[in-house]
Amino acid sequence: MPKLVKVHVTTMDAELLLAIQPNTTGKQLFEQVVKTIGFRETWYFGLQYTDTKGYQTWLKLDKKVSSQEVKKESPLQFRFRAKLFPEDVSEELIQDVTQKLFFLQVKDSILSDEVYCPPETAVLLASYSVQAKFGDYNKESHRPGYLMSERLLPHRVMEQHKLSNDQWEERIQVWHEEHGGMLQEDAMMEYLKIAQDLEMYGVNYFDIKNKKGTELCLGVDALGLNIYEKDDKLTPKIGFPWSEIRNISFNDKKFIIKPIDKKSPDFVFYAPRLRINKRILQLCMGNHDLYMRRRKPDTIDVQQMKAQAREEKMKRQQDKEQLERERKMREDIEREKEELERDKQALMIRVMQSEEKTRKAMNELTDQSKRAYELERECKRKQEETANLEEERQAALRAKEELARQAENQKKNQEELAAQLAMHSSKISQLEEAKRLKEEEANTWEHKAKEAQETLERTKEELSVVMTTPLPPPPPPPEYNHFEDIDKEDNNSMYSAELHIEGIDDHRNEEQRVTEAEKNERVQKQLRALTEELAHARDESKNTKNDLLHTQNIREGKDKYKTLRQIRQGNTKQRIDEFEAL
């Protein structure tokens, strides 16, 4: 039995260790990989490896793995990567796993500066990347330093600004907070929607020359072929959409493109190596095939995938809404608990105040009762004294009368009796005055007693009101309710492929597109704010060539799609003539 060959495949987020037969083809290995990871949108992807000469090469699906120039090591090393890119990620990427792999690959291209990204966009993308990994910002769990181990910005961007790591984290964290409530899958999609507007996104660049020998660059992407000056990969000068091309071929280093317009001359350029032309042809065929597929009705398989994706998205949205409702309910419960606690504390204070008022009223009632008792006793005493004085007065009157009789009878002792009479008269006057004073004093004490009694009655009434008024009822308790390759033989130095465009409508609708920042006011405001914020810390002396080119494009009002419309102006012949004149 043949010995199995070990294969190590890395995706953007996983590693696979597989075993294959010596006669396994590239297609069989590719199918084994996509089956293992549960992947269905296979038309974008391929298996990449480093060949024996050090070139990055795509595994040919129609050949045995063992017959290709894969380094003979164990295990054999492959990378599962996107080979072709969608025109519009939000319209074409269906499965979550596809979105995630594109997100991770595009993010890696931006962070490594393979795809140029201006600083303000890089910071905004970093915040979406953080949302995709960490979810909603939470100040309790996302404490200072939570992004320190994350690779979020291109090294170029960090070098161009006088900001510490803490300051970068602070800025990214502020924008992370802005994405609260966004699902992690949606954050990845928002990242891709902004990233796809970058000029270098999804473009494969190749050094070429025209017939004059001018060194230029060819860019192959989902929308067609673009010609760049050698030192400017941001701003294409001439463009040819796939719908204008009917045949592509090469003969050794010469590459020939035949336009649909038969009045136009062939579009001819030269690559430095045959290998480059083979790669260009593969990418042209693959991108043209997808360009056609996008403009035709979806296959049954794609329709089913989209239906399933819609159901899954709807379920995620429902789950998100449920989580949001539960979060809001928890917040409401916490708020109610806090309010109840505040009400409880206020009620306790009122009870304590009421108890204190009652205690004071009882003490005052006791004191007033004592005073009333003492006043009553004093009043009785005075009344007794008044009675005694009255008795003494009556006795004196009787004695006076007796003395008068005696004076009448005893004329002989008139002087003595007169003296006694004067004495008794004086005593009677004194007693009457004393009686009058005692009566006034008694009246005064009686008046005071009545006032004390009235005060006592009022105090009793106030105490009765305090004791009988019901306390407010306590608040109710809260209710917690996956193209085939063109190389049949590696030694072929010639190949030709027909590209068909029959059966499609509106084949150049991409020229009507606008960037995400232009159609999304929120993104537009965020980028404007970041531009102003970073300008204060920018070190202009560290600007790269791409920074200067980007700044010039912004100043001239250019963006990816405005440039696309501009470089496709005129007929095919005019643009080919322009290319030859470069």
Side-chain angles (χ1 to χ4, degrees):
M1 184 176 178
K3 185 178 179 180
L4 294 175
V5 178
K6 293 182 179 179
V7 175
H8 180 251
V9 180
T10 59
T11 70
M12 291 305 301
D13 64 344
E15 296 186 12
L16 307 176
L17 188 60
L18 307 173
I20 62 173
Q21 298 289 342
N23 61 349
T24 295
T25 64
K27 182 178 181 180
Q28 290 172 327
L29 174 58
F30 183 83
E31 290 175 346
Q32 187 174 351
V33 171
V34 297
K35 183 178 180 180
T36 301
I37 63 177
F39 192 74
R40 297 179 65 186
E41 294 174 81
T42 57
W43 44 87
Y44 297 112
F45 289 78
L47 289 173
Q48 193 178 56
Y49 66 93
T50 304
D51 66 17
T52 55
K53 295 180 181 179
Y55 292 109
Q56 299 297 316
T57 309
W58 294 98
L59 186 68
K60 300 175 180 64
L61 301 184
D62 60 332
K63 288 191 170 187
K64 293 180 182 179
V65 174
S66 59
S67 67
Q68 302 186 49
E69 297 178 343
V70 182
K71 282 186 179 180
K72 305 306 178 185
E73 54 185 341
S74 183
L76 301 180
Q77 301 291 330
F78 294 95
R79 295 174 296 281
F80 186 78
R81 296 290 186 271
K83 187 175 184 179
L84 305 172
F85 288 77
E87 287 181 28
D88 188 336
V89 291
S90 63
E91 295 292 331
E92 298 173 49
L93 300 184
I94 304 171
Q95 290 184 294
D96 289 343
V97 63
T98 315
Q99 294 177 12
K100 184 177 182 181
L101 291 178
F102 265 103
F103 162 72
L104 293 173
Q105 185 167 334
V106 171
K107 175 185 170 186
D108 186 68
S109 297
I110 291 173
L111 295 180
S112 65
D113 239 359
E114 180 183 339
V115 171
Y116 172 78
C117 181
E120 63 277 4
T121 306
V123 175
L124 182 57
L125 290 178
S127 68
Y128 280 112
S129 175
V130 172
Q131 179 73 16
K133 180 172 182 178
F134 293 97
D136 288 351
Y137 175 79
N138 184 316
K139 63 181 180 181
E140 297 298 326
S141 55
H142 299 145
R143 297 187 176 279
Y146 77 111
L147 299 180
M148 283 304 173
S149 61
E150 301 297 321
R151 182 170 168 245
L152 298 172
L153 295 170
H155 182 70
R156 164 185 54 83
V157 171
M158 300 183 72
E159 285 291 305
Q160 290 172 338
H161 296 82
K162 300 172 183 178
L163 295 173
S164 65
N165 289 338
D166 290 338
Q167 291 172 314
W168 280 119
E169 179 180 307
E170 182 181 344
R171 281 157 176 76
I172 295 172
Q173 176 235 303
V174 168
W175 295 102
H176 178 196
E177 290 186 61
E178 289 278 319
H179 309 320
M182 183 180 293
L183 294 175
Q184 291 167 284
E185 294 85 359
D186 292 341
M188 294 183 196
M189 179 54 68
E190 291 300 316
Y191 185 105
L192 289 171
K193 284 162 65 176
I194 296 172
Q196 71 181 354
D197 293 337
L198 298 174
E199 291 87 347
M200 297 177 71
Y201 165 87
V203 183
N204 286 274
Y205 295 93
F206 301 93
D207 292 334
I208 62 169
K209 294 180 181 180
N210 60 10
K211 292 177 182 178
K212 289 173 60 176
T214 305
E215 293 185 349
L216 301 166
C217 270
L218 173 72
V220 184
D221 66 14
L223 300 176
L225 301 175
N226 294 325
I227 304 300
Y228 299 80
E229 292 180 346
K230 186 173 180 63
D231 296 329
D232 182 0
K233 293 183 178 180
L234 296 184
T235 320
K237 303 304 177 185
I238 307 170
F240 301 92
W242 293 119
S243 58
E244 287 187 347
I245 301 172
R246 63 182 174 88
N247 178 275
I248 50 177
S249 63
F250 65 83
N251 184 350
D252 197 15
K253 298 178 182 180
K254 181 180 181 180
F255 204 100
I256 304 169
I257 297 174
K258 295 183 180 295
I260 294 290
D261 184 359
K262 295 184 179 181
K263 294 180 181 180
S264 297
D266 292 343
F267 174 31
V268 179
F269 59 80
Y270 299 86
R273 293 185 299 277
L274 173 61
R275 176 189 295 274
I276 300 299
N277 276 342
K278 290 182 178 181
R279 175 80 188 281
I280 294 172
L281 187 62
Q282 291 172 356
L283 286 170
C284 287
M285 293 174 65
N287 277 298
H288 179 270
D289 179 53
L290 287 183
Y291 184 88
M292 294 294 292
R293 288 180 58 170
R294 295 182 192 107
R295 287 154 178 80
K296 291 181 179 180
D298 292 333
T299 64
I300 297 297
D301 188 40
V302 171
Q303 290 178 27
Q304 291 174 345
M305 288 169 62
K306 286 185 175 180
Q308 181 181 352
R310 283 193 297 270
E311 291 177 3
E312 291 174 352
K313 184 174 183 178
M314 185 179 298
K315 186 178 185 304
R316 283 200 307 270
Q317 186 63 33
Q318 291 171 347
D319 291 343
K320 175 185 176 182
E321 291 172 354
Q322 177 65 24
L323 288 172
E324 183 63 22
R325 284 194 296 270
E326 291 176 356
R327 182 188 65 79
K328 189 175 184 304
M329 186 180 296
R330 286 194 298 270
E331 289 178 352
D332 290 343
I333 290 172
E334 287 299 320
R335 187 163 52 251
E336 288 179 9
K337 286 173 67 177
E338 290 175 0
E339 291 175 356
L340 285 171
E341 186 63 29
R342 286 195 298 270
D343 291 345
K344 177 183 175 182
Q345 293 298 328
L347 184 59
M348 291 297 293
I349 291 171
R350 290 173 59 189
V351 168
M352 291 172 64
Q353 290 174 341
S354 179
E355 289 178 347
E356 179 65 17
K357 186 176 181 180
T358 301
R359 184 185 62 78
K360 288 182 178 179
M362 290 295 293
N363 290 340
E364 187 175 350
L365 178 61
T366 300
D367 291 343
Q368 289 179 357
S369 296
K370 288 181 180 178
R371 286 197 299 271
Y373 176 72
E374 290 174 357
L375 286 170
E376 188 177 354
R377 288 182 59 190
E378 185 67 20
C379 182
K380 287 180 179 180
R381 189 175 64 80
K382 295 301 180 181
Q383 288 174 349
E384 290 175 356
E385 289 180 355
T386 301
N388 291 335
L389 287 172
E390 178 63 24
E391 289 177 2
E392 289 182 4
R393 188 181 73 81
Q394 292 297 331
L397 287 172
R398 287 192 299 271
K400 178 181 178 181
E401 292 174 357
E402 182 65 27
L403 287 172
R405 284 192 301 271
Q406 289 179 4
E408 192 175 327
N409 294 330
Q410 297 179 4
K411 291 180 181 180
K412 294 179 181 181
N413 300 322
Q414 185 176 4
E415 290 179 2
E416 183 178 354
L417 289 173
Q420 289 178 0
L421 179 59
M423 180 182 67
H424 283 291
S425 295
S426 175
K427 186 174 182 181
I428 289 168
S429 297
Q430 291 175 355
L431 289 172
E432 285 178 347
E433 179 66 19
K435 175 185 175 183
R436 185 182 63 78
L437 293 174
K438 292 296 181 179
E439 286 176 346
E440 289 177 355
E441 188 175 355
N443 290 334
T444 301
W445 283 105
E446 185 176 1
H447 180 68
K448 289 184 180 180
K450 287 179 181 180
E451 288 179 343
Q453 185 65 29
E454 290 172 359
T455 304
L456 179 61
E457 292 299 327
R458 286 196 302 271
T459 303
K460 287 181 178 180
E461 290 174 2
E462 291 175 2
L463 180 61
S464 176
V465 170
V466 173
M467 298 297 287
T468 57
T469 301
L471 291 175
E479 297 182 6
Y480 307 121
N481 309 316
H482 190 279
F483 61 62
E484 294 226 352
D485 282 88
I486 53 91
D487 292 325
K488 300 298 181 181
E489 295 294 336
D490 277 343
N491 295 327
N492 283 354
S493 61
M494 296 179 60
Y495 193 87
S496 177
E498 292 292 331
L499 305 181
H500 302 283
I501 62 165
E502 295 83 3
I504 62 172
D505 297 320
D506 196 20
H507 55 270
R508 292 176 65 165
N509 56 0
E510 69 271 11
E511 295 176 14
Q512 307 306 317
R513 285 179 63 177
V514 295
T515 64
E516 185 69 17
E518 187 172 346
K519 65 185 179 184
N520 188 321
E521 187 176 353
R522 177 177 56 85
V523 172
Q524 192 176 102
K525 289 180 178 178
Q526 291 172 336
L527 291 174
R528 189 183 302 120
L530 279 165
T531 301
E532 294 172 357
E533 183 180 340
L534 294 176
H536 302 293
R538 186 74 177 257
D539 184 350
E540 300 291 344
S541 67
K542 295 185 178 180
N543 283 342
T544 65
K545 184 183 295 184
N546 281 339
D547 289 312
L548 299 175
L549 290 169
H550 173 75
T551 301
Q552 181 179 347
N553 286 341
I554 295 298
R555 190 180 300 119
E556 295 175 1
K558 295 180 180 178
D559 62 36
K560 183 175 183 176
Y561 304 110
K562 290 177 182 176
T563 301
L564 182 69
R565 290 190 285 274
Q566 180 182 351
I567 65 175
R568 289 184 177 184
Q569 290 177 355
N571 59 37
T572 310
K573 181 181 183 304
Q574 289 174 325
R575 280 176 271 129
I576 292 175
D577 290 344
E578 185 180 349
F579 168 71
E580 297 297 346
L582 290 173

